[in-house]
Amino acid sequence: MKTDTLHYIASKFKIQRDIESIESLGEGFINDTYVIKTEGDGPDYIIQKKNKAIFPDVPAMMENIRKVTDHIRKRVSDAGGDVMREVMTIVPTLDGDLYFKDEDGDFWAVSVFIPDTIAYDRADNPGLARKGGQGIGKFQAMLSDFKEPLAETIKGFHNIRHRFEQWDSCLAKDAAQRKAGLEKEIEWIESRRSMMLDFWKLVEDGTIPVSVTHNDTKINNILFDTNGEVLCAIDLDTVMRSTALNDFGDAIRSYTNTGAEDDTDLEKVEMSLPMFEAYTDGYLSERAESLTQPEIDRLAFSALYITYEQVLRFLMDYIDGDTYYKIKTPEHNLQRTHAQYKLLCSMERQYEEMKDIVSRTADKYLVR
Ligand code: GN1
Ligand code: MG
């Protein structure tokens, strides 16, 4: 993206002070993100081009984010917290809109950059995992009394029934002619299909309740301060109503992985039980009292569910010809598929221990 264009777009927003520089930031797989540095000691900003191929209704998504951040801001302020650090602040355009639509039909949004923070790509100690679990627990707790309607920003995001519809049509189309040679990987998906649907049926029939959830709780979507405390959740594009279990499961997928999400060295990829225990402890210290027994009973399974879903999504994107996730190499989505599958197998092997940890930890925090 040309610097001039970025400056032109930034000039449409209510940014205090002159812009010093705009530089690309981070590793997001979906949107394009930049930091706007400003002159003097005013705030810096984050500017993002939202991926319109993935989010069909960016205005509705921005309205979701506004409602949710307004709600959290009130809760942070009531608790005497720092509203400039413990919640994202959206910066409107000069016309007061939550986004700017450019000549190409792309949508841009700006938020205040929160300084002195760390976004980790992996958890290297259980203390960090525990804090992360507490952080998402608090996020869910702050939104537990949120009653306003929220748009579904991506249809059926963690709904495996919907994902199987996409999967079946992906296989039928075989758009990039890659299906041949992927028999083994396809079988990984098919052999677990009914088990995953059984879980989702419990959400569909109301056994597992829905609430406002983040839906993309991988570790680098949580900002920590320099003392190692969780400040806030970022990347709120997928905040919607779903099962709270998904936030737990997706976090476990990243906090407990001893390797990288796309590791080429599969030996490095395992689910770390100490990290699982620490994250579970942090999460349940905030949420044990609010979860129902059917939720507690499926907490461990949610990690398998979301990791499986991620295997499916990476493999599906590979078969589709890499239309969804940004890739760094031609085989990147297949590499991600293999690494996430290794993680899934590691979870499956340790599933009984995971369930024991959840039940022990829930007992510790439940006053019965
Ligand atoms: C995407 O945008 P980012 O990088 O935080 C994706 C998640 C996946 C994740 C895999 C909207 O998250 O669902 O779990 O990549 N977000 C969307 O790393 O699809
Ligand atoms: Mg992100």
Side-chain angles (χ1 to χ4, degrees):
M1 175 68 54
K2 282 217 216 94
T3 316
D4 286 359
T5 316
L6 286 170
H7 278 260
Y8 163 74
I9 290 159
S11 75
K12 300 292 176 184
F13 289 85
K14 276 190 192 146
I15 289 177
Q16 303 161 18
R17 297 173 191 272
D18 291 336
I19 295 174
E20 198 176 86
S21 64
I22 306 184
E23 271 160 37
S24 176
L25 171 88
E27 295 271 306
F29 293 1
I30 310 287
N31 300 316
D32 295 339
T33 309
Y34 306 84
V35 187
I36 304 175
K37 293 245 164 70
T38 63
E39 309 269 356
D41 52 8
D44 294 331
Y45 299 88
I46 294 286
I47 185 164
Q48 238 185 3
K49 184 168 91 176
K50 301 288 185 181
N51 190 325
K52 65 179 177 202
I54 288 181
F55 298 108
D57 190 348
V58 177
M61 174 169 92
M62 291 308 299
E63 192 55 27
N64 276 6
I65 299 176
R66 184 195 60 76
K67 287 180 191 168
V68 163
T69 52
D70 281 355
H71 186 93
I72 296 178
R73 189 169 305 105
K74 179 145 195 334
R75 297 290 296 266
V76 168
S77 151
D78 290 348
D82 182 346
V83 293
M84 291 314 290
R85 292 179 66 74
E86 292 173 41
V87 60
M88 260 178 61
T89 305
I90 301 179
V91 177
T93 65
L94 298 172
D95 297 336
D97 296 326
L98 299 173
Y99 57 85
F100 172 70
K101 189 174 177 187
D102 71 15
E103 283 75 13
D104 299 331
D106 280 310
F107 290 93
W108 295 80
V110 172
S111 61
V112 176
F113 178 84
I114 308 175
D116 305 318
T117 60
I118 310 172
Y120 293 93
D121 279 321
R122 52 186 305 172
D124 50 14
N125 67 81
L128 187 78
R130 190 177 189 286
K131 292 285 180 196
Q134 253 181 315
I136 268 310
K138 284 185 184 154
F139 177 86
Q140 292 184 346
M142 284 193 285
L143 289 167
S144 59
D145 60 343
F146 183 95
K147 294 280 179 291
E148 294 174 70
L150 285 176
E152 190 177 19
T153 59
I154 297 181
K155 188 175 181 308
F157 193 53
H158 289 312
N159 171 343
I160 208 70
R161 191 182 299 285
H162 180 73
R163 293 293 180 189
F164 284 134
E165 282 165 21
Q166 295 178 324
W167 168 253
D168 290 338
S169 83
C170 152
L171 290 185
K173 270 200 208 111
D174 193 15
Q177 309 253 292
R178 284 176 163 170
K179 212 170 79 177
L182 294 173
E183 293 76 11
K184 173 185 71 182
E185 288 84 352
I186 292 171
E187 183 53 22
W188 294 343
I189 300 301
E190 295 300 341
S191 59
R192 294 165 177 85
R193 188 192 276 249
S194 65
M195 181 176 44
M196 297 299 158
L197 277 170
D198 285 347
F199 169 79
W200 193 252
K201 278 180 203 151
L202 301 174
V203 178
E204 291 169 331
D205 72 15
T207 307
I208 294 176
V210 294
S211 55
V212 180
T213 50
H214 183 285
N215 295 304
D216 190 4
T217 48
K218 69 175 172 185
I219 183 165
N220 67 10
N221 283 332
I222 305 293
L223 287 188
F224 288 78
D225 70 14
T226 47
N227 300 320
E229 297 294 328
V230 168
L231 269 181
C232 61
I234 53 170
D235 204 353
L236 302 178
D237 296 351
T238 51
V239 172
M240 291 179 264
R241 285 195 167 76
S242 185
T243 145
L245 298 182
N246 291 337
D247 283 352
F248 179 83
D250 200 27
I252 294 302
R253 186 179 72 78
S254 64
Y255 281 85
T256 68
N257 189 349
T258 55
E261 186 183 58
D262 59 351
D263 226 308
T264 43
D265 183 356
L266 297 182
E267 293 281 305
K268 289 201 182 127
V269 177
E270 286 292 343
M271 200 231 30
S272 152
L273 220 46
M275 292 294 186
F276 179 79
E277 178 146 27
Y279 192 93
T280 304
D281 193 85
Y283 180 69
L284 286 178
S285 72
E286 297 291 331
R287 298 304 284 155
E289 290 287 345
S290 319
L291 295 180
T292 62
Q293 194 58 44
E295 290 178 290
I296 292 178
D297 291 345
R298 272 91 187 175
L299 213 49
F301 187 77
S302 73
L304 278 63
Y305 178 85
I306 289 288
T307 307
Y308 170 88
E309 182 198 280
Q310 199 65 70
V311 177
L312 184 155
R313 290 174 65 196
F314 284 145
L315 182 57
M316 183 161 75
D317 198 31
Y318 182 70
I319 297 172
D320 280 341
D322 311 307
T323 59
Y324 189 95
Y325 293 109
K326 289 183 192 169
I327 52 167
K328 290 185 179 156
T329 58
E331 301 285 289
H332 202 171
N333 272 318
L334 189 58
Q335 183 184 323
R336 289 163 169 158
T337 303
H338 286 167
Q340 290 291 291
Y341 181 67
K342 172 76 196 297
L343 182 65
L344 175 62
C345 294
S346 177
M347 289 176 177
E348 288 175 343
R349 265 198 316 277
Q350 301 182 83
Y351 184 44
E352 290 308 315
E353 286 105 311
M354 291 164 74
K355 282 197 290 190
D356 283 351
I357 287 171
V358 169
S359 117
R360 248 190 289 130
T361 314
D363 281 348
K364 172 171 149 193
Y365 290 111
L366 277 175
V367 186
R368 287 179 204 268

